Amino acid sequence: MNLVIIGPQGCGKGTQAKLLAEKFNLAHIEMGSSLREQAKEDTPLGKELDEIINKKKELAPDDVIVRVISEQVSRAPAEKGIILDGAPRTISQVEKVAVAFKDNDRKLDKVIFIKLSEAESIERISMRVGCSNCGKNMKIGKDVKGVNDRCPDCGGELNQRKDDTPEGVKKRLDIFNQETVPVVEYYRNQGILLEINGEQDVDGVFKDIASDLEKYE
Ligand SMILES: [Zn+2]
């Protein structure tokens, strides 16, 4: 079974991808870590990536992303399915992902879309803080009162990712709506979209996805 998982920030798709990879014996291809991993390799693509993401600190362009996807898909063990997490993000990547799968005798079976309202996405991301000392992730209003609190575990200072403010989240959601929602609609028209309510806890989301995928096993 070969899958793609898509969703706005805060929907928990990374967590779900890991759980699904375990349950359905899939290779989890996460784009962010795949890019960082391949940037360390002594290959033409690795050097090019290193130049873009580590030296120039820019976002990798579409054609480079697509080459990384092809490479990662070709490295996945043949006996395993794939769950692709973090791509395709744009309509122009859709066809190239299809080619990467086809070149490796794979077919995209299902696209999981974890749906989350804008308000919930902003709430989840802008309430997120981390401890600068032990790395613990916490939620404002639940684990701590605010970013000026101290870590309840180790007393370390808390910090928030610079762009994890409501404005920062809103900006990234606008990009998602413009570029990635058309990808979701494309897959809906292909009849392979599985839309999941992301406004549940991790277990609830996982149960909904797994109960659908079990039908295809
Ligand atoms: Zn701490």
Side-chain angles (χ1 to χ4, degrees):
M1 186 160 52
N2 299 294
L3 309 169
V4 160
I5 188 162
I6 300 179
Q9 50 187 326
C11 76
K13 74 181 163 59
T15 305
Q16 295 298 332
K18 267 184 220 138
L19 293 169
L20 292 165
E22 220 166 278
K23 181 167 171 73
F24 295 100
N25 188 33
L26 310 171
H28 178 196
I29 302 179
E30 198 276 313
M31 281 316 294
S33 56
S34 299
L35 289 167
R36 287 190 295 276
E37 188 187 301
Q38 276 190 237
K40 290 183 196 148
E41 294 177 3
D42 190 17
T43 58
L45 179 58
K47 286 177 192 154
E48 198 180 328
L49 260 177
D50 182 51
E51 185 67 32
I52 299 167
I53 64 174
N54 297 325
K55 300 204 172 85
K56 292 188 188 154
K57 305 215 179 289
E58 287 172 359
L59 289 173
D62 250 21
D63 67 301
V64 174
I65 301 258
V66 165
R67 279 153 66 201
V68 171
I69 295 170
S70 303
E71 183 60 33
Q72 294 287 324
V73 170
S74 73
R75 288 181 194 179
E79 71 278 10
K80 281 190 169 198
I82 284 175
I83 183 159
L84 183 58
D85 167 8
R89 274 186 204 280
T90 61
I91 278 289
S92 70
Q93 290 176 4
V94 166
E95 195 188 337
K96 286 154 184 162
V97 166
V99 171
F101 275 65
K102 193 164 175 272
D103 284 349
N104 290 281
D105 296 320
R106 294 179 185 270
K107 179 181 133 281
L108 179 56
D109 297 297
K110 275 268 164 182
V111 175
I112 301 155
F113 173 46
I114 306 181
K115 204 175 166 188
L116 201 63
S117 71
E118 185 170 305
E120 181 70 16
S121 178
I122 291 173
E123 153 100 18
R124 287 187 187 182
I125 300 291
S126 60
M127 291 291 153
R128 191 168 69 176
V129 289
C131 173
S132 59
N133 183 48
C134 72
K136 182 183 162 87
N137 288 314
M138 285 156 280
K139 209 181 157 195
I140 295 172
K142 184 171 165 251
D143 309 304
V144 290
K145 280 202 217 78
V147 73
N148 294 324
D149 270 16
R150 291 281 174 157
C151 173
D153 285 8
C154 75
E157 277 182 35
L158 304 183
N159 53 31
Q160 192 169 32
R161 242 182 68 184
K162 238 189 11 232
D163 51 356
D164 278 355
T165 57
E167 299 72 39
V169 181
K170 182 85 174 52
K171 219 167 144 185
R172 300 201 296 276
L173 283 175
D174 285 345
I175 297 172
F176 181 85
N177 288 332
Q178 278 165 30
E179 297 187 344
T180 312
V181 168
V183 173
V184 172
E185 293 314 317
Y186 172 87
Y187 288 130
R188 192 193 307 279
N189 289 333
Q190 298 282 303
I192 55 171
L193 192 75
L194 172 59
E195 191 169 307
I196 299 291
N197 170 18
E199 302 197 17
Q200 321 176 59
D201 61 14
V202 170
D203 287 347
V205 173
F206 182 65
K207 247 174 95 182
D208 279 4
I209 302 171
S211 67
D212 188 274
L213 295 181
E214 274 162 358
K215 291 184 242 163
Y216 305 93
E217 266 209 309

